[in-house]
Amino acid sequence: MDVLRRLEVICIFVVFTLTTVTSNDQVTGDIGGDALLPCFYNGGGLPGKVTAYWRDKDDNNVLDIIQNVPNNSSQNSKFKGRVTSFPDLYKKGNFSIVLKNLQKQDSGVYQCDIIAVDYTNKVTLTVSEKMVTPRAAASTTTASTATESKGASGAASVSLMSLHLTLLSVPLSLLLSP
């Protein structure tokens, strides 16, 4: 009888251990830039309408997603107007957010909790000074100005492109996985 009791306790422990899922990610960004904070759930059993909560290291409300609707009514003032999400992707388990206009004090751990499936994703964001690299001197002022404006728009395109590629890679990996 004692052996059965121990086996029962072990089974209960294993069940609780397997149902709570936690993931950890590292993200870096530059002051004034944007950062994608990922939160993907692909474990199945996701209800049609999902509630997820994003919190920062001080438990401040970054964004609430209530029944598949982003709700920033109780959002901490330091995040107002700086957080976007992807409502069209919620039904696929993607509750990622973009934190805009990064500030040094944004560095720290962020947590995404999806209550219905007991899933937690922690993201460590590190915000640093933008590294400026010296440019080669252009032969004329006009050429220099044209190069700088082209470089600035090119950097924005690369940033947006990498964001789109990141968002597309998860659904593709789910489709291609065995």
Side-chain angles (χ1 to χ4, degrees):
M1 196 58 112
D2 190 37
V3 173
L4 286 175
R5 187 53 135 177
R6 277 191 236 161
L7 185 58
E8 183 178 298
V9 169
I10 290 171
C11 287
I12 290 171
F13 176 74
V14 169
V15 167
F16 280 113
T17 303
L18 292 176
T19 57
T20 302
V21 180
T22 302
S23 177
N24 295 299
D25 293 301
Q26 303 283 324
V27 175
T28 58
D30 294 328
I31 291 175
D34 299 343
L36 175 69
L37 306 183
C39 183
F40 301 105
Y41 177 77
N42 59 5
L46 202 60
K49 300 280 185 176
V50 179
T51 296
Y53 302 107
W54 273 97
R55 299 294 182 265
D56 74 355
K57 62 187 174 287
D58 299 318
D59 202 35
N60 291 315
N61 181 338
V62 179
L63 180 68
D64 288 341
I65 300 167
I66 311 292
Q67 301 293 303
N68 288 10
V69 177
N71 179 340
N72 55 11
S73 63
S74 61
Q75 186 178 48
N76 186 280
S77 61
K78 70 182 183 177
F79 297 111
K80 292 276 186 196
R82 298 178 51 218
V83 178
T84 58
S85 64
F86 309 93
D88 294 344
L89 299 177
Y90 296 163
K91 62 183 171 250
K92 295 178 181 172
N94 185 345
F95 298 92
S96 303
I97 61 173
V98 174
L99 183 56
K100 299 177 181 181
N101 190 22
L102 293 174
Q103 303 163 13
K104 186 68 174 169
Q105 57 269 31
D106 290 331
S107 292
V109 177
Y110 290 78
Q111 185 167 312
C112 168
D113 291 306
I114 305 171
I115 306 305
V117 291
D118 200 19
Y119 176 80
T120 298
N121 186 50
K122 291 185 178 182
V123 180
T124 302
L125 173 63
T126 304
V127 180
S128 57
E129 297 286 333
K130 191 179 280 189
M131 298 299 291
V132 178
T133 56
R135 295 178 182 237
S139 59
T140 66
T141 307
T142 307
S144 175
T145 305
T147 303
E148 287 173 8
S149 65
K150 181 180 177 188
S153 66
S157 297
V158 170
S159 183
L160 274 175
M161 179 62 88
S162 62
L163 174 64
H164 286 112
L165 288 174
T166 301
L167 290 172
L168 289 173
S169 66
V170 173
L172 287 175
S173 67
L174 293 175
L175 289 172
L176 299 175
S177 64

